Amino acid sequence: MLTGELAGGPATHTGGALLVVLVSSAVFLTTLAVVASVTLAAAGAIAHDVYTHVLRRGRTTEGREVAAARRASSGVGLVSIALAVLVQGGNVLFLSALSLAVAASCLLPALGYSLFWRRYTRRGLLWTLYGGLVCAVGLQPSGPAFSGTPLALFPDLHLNWFPLQTVVLISLPAALLLGRLGSTLGRRRTPVRPPDRPDPVPDWRGRTDSGGR
């Protein structure tokens, strides 16, 4: 619709109609690629992790795993369609803000520490990921994008005790701090033990290196 207005409205010339078709096709293909990638990733995780390693405990074949992936793709698609129908007409800005907040609070500190800090440990990585996830998921439902405002997901509820619209202002520094603390506290100092000295070997006279017999 925006492209149509920019092209001159409904009664436009051939060039404007071609522009509308090209932009609409690009948007459709981009959306289709994103939906397909997310569906395949979810189906692969269900088939490989849940079905193969949890339910079957590794005792399965490749054909069964492929069949499980196909059934999981169908199930994920049906659940996604049902959720889309349920939230039709609602403000889903909360979901996009939540996804961006989780990505910024978990991935950005972990990548930054991994690339630019050599003392970053495994414990610091776990503290960064879990801490940023808990802060983002815990604060986002308490903000004005979730309830209490006309443009919120649930405008009739009043759970917005957190005043900021963007929770990344709190969750990102918290994740950075937790990663620093986890790496610092988890670093163990092991005392340097001197190497074991071998027993002195006597020479042909029966004397050792220290001169004893």
Side-chain angles (χ1 to χ4, degrees), residues 58-126:
R59 298 187 298 269
T60 184
T61 60
E62 184 178 356
R64 291 181 178 179
E65 187 173 350
V66 172
R70 291 176 179 175
R71 292 192 294 268
S73 300
S74 301
V76 170
L78 292 176
V79 171
S80 302
I81 293 173
L83 292 176
V85 171
L86 290 177
V87 300
Q88 185 180 7
N91 187 9
V92 294
L93 180 63
F94 167 78
L95 299 178
S96 60
L98 179 61
S99 62
L100 293 176
V102 170
S105 303
C106 297
L107 299 180
L108 180 60
L111 291 176
Y113 276 139
S114 300
L115 292 176
F116 301 106
W117 192 30
R118 296 182 179 179
R119 297 182 179 180
Y120 195 46
T121 61
R122 180 178 180 272
R123 178 176 293 185
L125 175 63
L126 294 178

Side-chain angles (χ1 to χ4, degrees), residues 40-74:
L40 291 177
I46 294 174
H48 183 71
D49 297 333
V50 177
Y51 176 77
T52 302
H53 294 283
V54 177
L55 298 179
R56 303 291 298 180
R57 298 185 181 276
R59 298 187 298 269
T60 184
T61 60
E62 184 178 356
R64 291 181 178 179
E65 187 173 350
V66 172
R70 291 176 179 175
R71 292 192 294 268
S73 300
S74 301

Side-chain angles (χ1 to χ4, degrees), residues 159-173:
L159 303 176
N160 52 338
W161 59 267
F162 186 71
L164 299 180
Q165 185 80 20
T166 305
V167 299
V168 182
L169 298 176
I170 303 298
S171 59
L172 180 58

